[in-house]
Each structure stands twice: as structure tokens, then as C-alpha cells.
Amino acid sequence: MLIQYYLALAAVLLSALFTRLSIPLSRYLSKRLNLLGVDAHKPDSPLIPKTGGLAVAVGALISTALVFTLFNLNPTILAGVMLSTLTAAAIGLYEDLREMNPVGKPLLLALAGLPIILLGIYYPNPDFPFIGRTRMHIIYPLLVLAGFSIISNAINSIDVLNGSMVSTSAVALTPLLIVSLMEGRVEALAMTAALMGALIAFIPENKYPAKLFVGNVGSLSTGALFTSIAVIGRIEIITIIALMPQIMNEFHIIFSMGGLKSAKLVKERPVNVENGLIEANESEKAPITLVRLITARNKLAEKNVVICLIILSAYSSALALITYLLFMR
Amino acid sequence: MREGKKCSRNLIAVMVLLTIVWGLFLAVSIFLTVLLFQDAIIEKILRPISLIRVLIGVGAFLAWVYVWKKLTEFLLYKILLR
């Protein structure tokens, strides 16, 4: 048990170190390639380098690789996770460079799950509350591919305010870390701790007022790592419950837009911004989002909305832990 | 003070929504346990029966997502924006 604590601690510290070291490089690349995003919720709409998430992906992956090597963990799992995350990061980087087809993007993200399937590093026996272990030999690989697409897009969809994706994801990783530790799933524990360390190390750059955006490269690779942790650690249901706010945000956007459509085609924005305060658009034509629910008839500053999102994430994480402790042990 | 109260009102409303959705998820799991998966660990099972179970399971979870959507619309338009 003690070795698991050392493993988790090593993963957190190494990923934080490599993320911090990679931040200047990702900032330089953003500026060099002119990958700048408008911070739309600020009065002067400043331009911010938007591929900072590259540092999160680099930090988490280097740390995972080092910990897997140091603690002699399964190299096939490491290869699968690296390939899946790098595929998602490449898709994100491409989307940061140019807009992607809204239907093609989820299909491409599903491909990020292929290394996990092809290397056979999954267990088609997911645990459900009350039911216990199930057998899903045929459908499980398809669910893994769908999971990569849904979770990556869900995490991407919450990246709308300074610090929102990074902080809510770090909170949502907490139950995954605890359950991996309790179940002795060391590979999942190493990956969870590595991702957590990378996200926490990135918060100072991305919190309000952001100096660096995570970008699609960061949010999609974070989503791919979340899915890999869920599949390899066999903690699929815990992950879904911990990510309920993010998944809710994604599904409501898709439902209210009537399918997978480009955000540029939305006629009514979900929120309005006035003097730095965010308030929900009252039109029924506007997409339903989590930020719109929080700011309905309620003007809030950007950082206060992010605090609300963090509280919601913490609440979902608590529900995930309750589910595990009461109904899945 | 008034703004703070409104913030907590919306936040609590979304937390209640998440709790209901979580409760419904557990209810779907109980439904599947009682009706479909009582012998889920049995190694050999007829493939058509296995397929029907998976289809009913997927259907139950799609119904869960649909109810989630309806509840959110009710919360936003009938309570928070009223």
C-alpha cells in the first residue's frame, strides 16, 4: 500500500515539474504560429496564446512514462495510453489551427480509442452499481470508442471561462484517484496522479485573468486521458458520475442546437456579457449550457461562475464516491 | 448580498438536478439488476438473450438521458428564468 502512495506522489510531482518546464515552450509556439484566442469575457477582449494545453499533455505523458518505467508497470498499457492521448492531442492541435467539421470531430476522437482496443488493454466486464460485474464482450469495444468521443468533447465543452476546464477536471479526478488507490489499480493511479499534477501546475497560467489558454489540444488530450483511466482502471461508472456536469453541458448543447453543429451557426449566444458580468440569455432559442443555468437572472463575474462550476464538480465527485462506497463494493 | 443569494439559489437548483439525475441513474441500475442481470456472471449464455439484454440496457440509459434533458429544460425555463 505504501508503495502506491510513493507512486502517486512521484507522478504528481514529476508531471507538475514537466508541465511548468513546458509552459514557456507552449507559449512560444502559440505566439510563433499566431495561435491566439480572444478572451471574450473581458471588457477589452485581449488576445491570449491558446495552445497552453500542450504543456498539460506533455507533463502528464512524460510523468506517466517515467512512473511506469520506475515502478515496472505494464508497458503495453503505457503504449496504448500514449498513443490514444497523442492522437487526441493531434486532433486538438489541428482544431486550434483551423475549424473542424462538427460531425467529423467526434468520429475522429473515437479513433483515439483505437490503440486501447487494438492492444487489447481493456476488460469487457464493467462494474455497475447493484449489478456488479457484467459481461459486454461484443459491445464494450464500441462503448470505449464512444467514450473517447463523449468524454473528450464534454471536457472540451466546459472550457469556456478562465480556469474552468483545468480546475473542474482536477476536482473530478479526486474520486478516480481515491478509488484507484483503494482498489489497487496502480496503472490507473499513476495516470490519474500524473494528470492531476499537470492540471494543478497549469492553474496559475489559466486562472482569471488567464495568461495562457488550454486550447483544444489541452482539453481533448485531458478527455482522452480521463477515458483511458476509466477503461484501464475499470472505473467507468465512477468517471461518468464524477463528470456529470461536463457531460450534462455537452449533451444539452447538442440537444438544444438540434445535433452536431458549428458554434458559429448558433444564432443566439447562451449568455450575454456586460461590463465584465455574465448573464444568461433568456431566449428559448439559445443553447442550454451549465453557465447559462448558473447565470439565469443572475449577473455574475467570470471568476464567480468558475467557483460555482468547481463546487458542482466537487458535488458530483462526492456523488461518485458515495456510489462506489455504498453500492459498488 | 442579494446577488450572493441568487447565486446560491441557482447553484442549489443545479445541485438538486444533479442529485435527481444521479438517483435516476441508480434507479436504472436497480431496474436492470432486477429484470436483466441477475445471472450476469454466468459464463455461457445464449447470444440472442445477451443481445436483447444489451439493447434493453442501452434503451434504459437513453431514456435516462432524455429525462435528464427534460428536467434541465424545466429547471431553466420554468424555475430559474421565470
Side-chain angles (χ1 to χ4, degrees), chain A residues 9-22:
Chain A
L9 189 65
V12 168
L13 293 177
L14 284 169
S15 66
L17 174 71
F18 283 105
T19 300
R20 293 305 306 174
L21 290 174
S22 312

Side-chain angles (χ1 to χ4, degrees), chain A residues 129-131 133 135 139 237 248 252 255 284 288 292-294 296-299 308 315 319 323 327, chain B residues 3 6-7 10 15 17 19 22 26 29-30 33 40-43 54 68-69 72 77 80-82:
Chain A
F130 306 106
I131 300 169
R133 189 174 292 173
R135 295 176 70 239
I139 200 170
I237 298 301
M248 172 170 148
H252 288 312
F255 284 138
E284 291 204 10
I288 299 177
R292 192 172 170 220
L293 285 167
I294 291 166
R297 294 267 169 104
N298 180 32
K299 282 184 187 176
C308 289
Y315 184 66
L319 291 180
T323 308
F327 311 120
Chain B
E3 290 300 315
K6 275 205 234 167
C7 173
N10 287 20
M15 283 166 133
L17 173 71
T19 312
W22 173 68
L26 294 180
S29 287
I30 294 171
T33 310
I41 309 295
I42 293 172
E43 285 300 319
V54 168
W68 187 350
K69 169 187 180 282
T72 310
Y77 296 119
L80 296 178
L81 283 176
R82 195 174 63 180

Side-chain angles (χ1 to χ4, degrees), chain A residues 107-150:
Chain A
L107 292 175
L108 271 178
L109 280 171
L111 292 182
L114 269 184
I116 305 266
I117 303 296
L118 295 176
L119 291 170
I121 47 172
Y122 63 92
Y123 310 90
N125 307 99
D127 285 326
F128 278 79
F130 306 106
I131 300 169
R133 189 174 292 173
T134 57
R135 295 176 70 239
M136 295 188 176
H137 289 261
I138 299 169
I139 200 170
Y140 192 82
L142 297 174
L143 292 177
V144 171
L145 298 181
F148 267 88
S149 185
I150 291 169

Side-chain angles (χ1 to χ4, degrees), chain A residues 275-310:
Chain A
N275 300 324
L277 293 175
I278 301 170
E279 189 177 31
N281 185 343
E282 297 199 4
S283 166
E284 291 204 10
K285 290 178 185 168
I288 299 177
T289 66
L290 213 48
V291 174
R292 192 172 170 220
L293 285 167
I294 291 166
T295 58
R297 294 267 169 104
N298 180 32
K299 282 184 187 176
L300 281 177
E302 184 175 356
K303 56 183 173 185
N304 290 336
V305 180
V306 175
I307 290 170
C308 289
L309 292 175
I310 293 170

Side-chain angles (χ1 to χ4, degrees), chain B residues 41-69:
Chain B
I41 309 295
I42 293 172
E43 285 300 319
K44 289 198 174 179
I45 193 160
L46 292 174
R47 186 153 286 185
I49 293 173
S50 173
L51 192 66
I52 289 168
R53 281 178 165 183
V54 168
L55 288 176
I56 293 175
V58 170
F61 281 104
L62 288 178
W64 172 61
V65 172
Y66 180 76
V67 172
W68 187 350
K69 169 187 180 282

